[in-house]
Amino acid sequence: MQRVLVLDKSKNPLMPCHPARAHQLLKQGKAAVFRQYPFTIILKERDGGDVQPVTIKVDPGSKTTGIPMVADFRAGKRVIWAGKLTHRGQQIRDRLLSHRQIRRGRRVRKTRYRLARFLNRRRVGSKLAPSLQSRVENTLTWVGRLSRWSPINSISMELVRFDMQLMENAEISGVEYQQGELAGYEVREYLLEKWGRECAYCHAADRPLEIEHITPKSRGGSNRVSNLTVACHDCNQRKGSQTATEFGHANIQQQAKQPLKDAAAVNATRWALWRRMDTLGLPLEVGTGGRTKFNRVKQDYPKAHWIDAACVGESGEQIYTSLNHAPLQMKTTGHQSRQMCRVDKYGFPRTSAKQGRVHFGFQTGDIVRAMVTKGVKRGMYVGRVSVRASGFFNITTPTGTIQGISYRYFTPIHKSDGYLYEKGEALSPATTRVAVPPRQVQ
Ligand SMILES: [Zn+2]
């Protein structure tokens, strides 16, 4: 169950409470709604109170980042709130590309007489690409926001995919293992990344992959990572005691010698995020991807971004969570469009220039409720508003867009803050009340 975030009357965070308790406080008039997403209440009377340590855990991904909060109760560590942050890296890349093309077109059409600009860019130090930078900033925004509204006293994040040190002395016991030691997980993650998560021989991706010796052990092959690849069961069996070259895949024997070059690129964003997190002044724990998976599999949890994040690092060894948590989905939308007016297919202006972003107190992106009392559009709608200077707005609800509703019918629910919110799907139906019991980690 997602807990409700609670602030005291001076806006200091208190321990998040059960939704039923929040409902009671609101009904008794002891609290008011402070924020809709994530749902936060503010107490009217109380100032200060006891809090338990809460850790914010982060599993930075390229498309989505899982952000759960884990409280350290006397009975054990428990997930009290979970969020799933969706990035817009691809969109940023596309927008910058179109921005650049428009600018080039304009220069060619209108300023051909000017001398070409040349060596006019200044860059200090190394810099991430804008699409990568936005992932770092989005994650930091949410770490910052959540630590304002809940009593967070430490951060834990996944820093790298695999621990090269741990892999050096890895002991591979049995080719078919799935549940080996921690070092085994590091090796497995590394190999999956290196061989593109598919069978190296037949390129099948939709079946379980086994770790396979390129030069078999029976022929003097070693357990070193450079002698390993991943293969499906069938290929592994058919290859038997042949080397990859004898099996008709000389290219694999070649590729095996090369280390994984783009591991650095994969991890670049995470290191940048780590450097920024380190300046927040909270204790920061880091873990590897291999360890995350190890912890999750040992505790028998299904795969989800927020569960992976909860299992990050040493503190993720033993975590309680119920599977009917419906994580809050936070989709990055950005704040406004740079384009001044819409254009037709030839690039000529189709509308007049924008006249400011706020109209009648509303802004595009606000989440609103519209109670339309008359006409053909009569009804109640909740969704995201697109404002028009005319005062007739569009509202986008999960079922579709309704156009041209007067601003008079709207009530704001949540001011635009660069994200679109949705209640996520729970992994098991809400009727299941039984939390997964903690399992002993061997
Ligand atoms: Zn295969």
Side-chain angles (χ1 to χ4, degrees), residues 199-204 207 231-236 238:
C199 172
Y201 301 105
C202 71
H203 303 291
R207 57 197 67 175
C232 69
H233 184 72
D234 292 348
C235 290
N236 199 355
R238 265 190 290 120

Side-chain angles (χ1 to χ4, degrees), residues 86-98 130-131 134-135 331-334 336-337:
T86 310
H87 301 291
R88 53 171 203 146
Q90 188 62 34
Q91 198 192 351
I92 288 182
R93 189 198 153 270
D94 294 345
R95 289 250 177 115
L96 283 174
L97 192 68
S98 99
S131 57
S134 93
R135 292 184 179 112
K331 195 170 171 228
T332 318
T333 56
Q336 58 179 337
S337 159

